[in-house]
Amino acid sequence: MPRIRPTTRKALLTLHLVTSLGWLGADLVLLTLGIAVQRGADPAVVYPVTALVGTVLFAPLSVLVWLIGVASSLLTPWGLLRHRWVLVKLVLTTVMVGLVLFLLTPNLRHAGAVGAALPARDRADLVIAPAVSTSLMIIATVLSTYKPWGRRPAARPARTSRDRAVAKK
């Protein structure tokens, strides 16, 4: 594993935090806009804004968060597959990025194009998706804060006879 200087590691962590907060903020904006339409706001006005936020801000930030997170894990002692919490966070983020790029972004563009003609079931999807996404981002934040579960068994260094003797005492 390559070692990076502490200042570089902190800069990478700061960049990851800033992009993650931006991603969460954009997600909350999408949720708010979706709820606004459900509560009577004009979809012909709201959905083009939603499409703009989704394609210009939300989708690029999701990719940036994923890339910076992978770089951080590879360049720091946490490792990409060494700890369960990192692995779970990687899986969650990868699934979310895939859904954002291949499902949500096309739906947002479509909603922006058709505006008020968007069917009711598709309008509900534009509330449900950001609500689920926000929940998953909060889970990822909790994982990063509490770092549960320890190391994966395969990632632990082999115990020597000296280690076993010390453990028995």
Side-chain angles (χ1 to χ4, degrees), residues 11 24 27-28 41 46 51 55 69 91 106 115 122 124-125 136 146 156 163:
L24 178 60
D27 198 23
L28 290 170
V46 174
T55 55
V91 169
D122 293 341
D125 288 344
L136 292 175
Y146 288 95
R156 288 195 173 113
D163 293 335

Side-chain angles (χ1 to χ4, degrees), residues 7-152:
T7 54
T8 305
R9 183 181 54 77
K10 287 179 183 177
L12 200 55
L13 176 61
T14 302
L15 187 59
H16 186 58
L17 289 170
V18 168
T19 55
S20 297
L21 288 170
W23 191 21
L24 178 60
D27 198 23
L28 290 170
V29 167
L30 292 176
L31 179 60
T32 303
L33 291 170
I35 290 171
V37 169
Q38 295 292 331
R39 298 193 68 196
D42 184 2
V45 173
V46 174
Y47 285 146
V49 173
T50 303
L52 182 67
V53 169
T55 55
V56 174
L57 193 60
F58 191 67
L61 279 171
S62 69
V63 173
L64 270 175
V65 167
W66 188 87
L67 288 172
I68 295 165
V70 168
S72 293
S73 64
L74 291 173
L75 296 173
T76 63
W78 294 115
L80 193 58
L81 304 174
R82 195 171 290 140
H83 296 271
R84 286 184 184 103
W85 69 271
V86 175
L87 183 59
V88 170
K89 193 173 164 189
L90 173 66
V91 169
L92 280 176
T93 307
T94 302
V95 168
M96 284 194 310
V97 169
L99 291 173
V100 164
L101 295 178
F102 300 112
L103 192 61
L104 182 61
T105 302
N107 289 347
L108 292 172
R109 285 188 183 130
H110 176 69
V114 299
L118 190 69
R121 75 173 189 289
D122 293 341
R123 291 180 186 198
D125 288 344
L126 296 181
V127 173
I128 294 168
V132 170
S133 180
T134 296
S135 300
L136 292 175
M137 286 186 214
I138 291 169
I139 290 169
T141 302
V142 170
L143 290 173
S144 296
T145 303
Y146 288 95
K147 299 171 181 51
W149 309 311
R151 285 183 155 212
R152 292 182 49 239

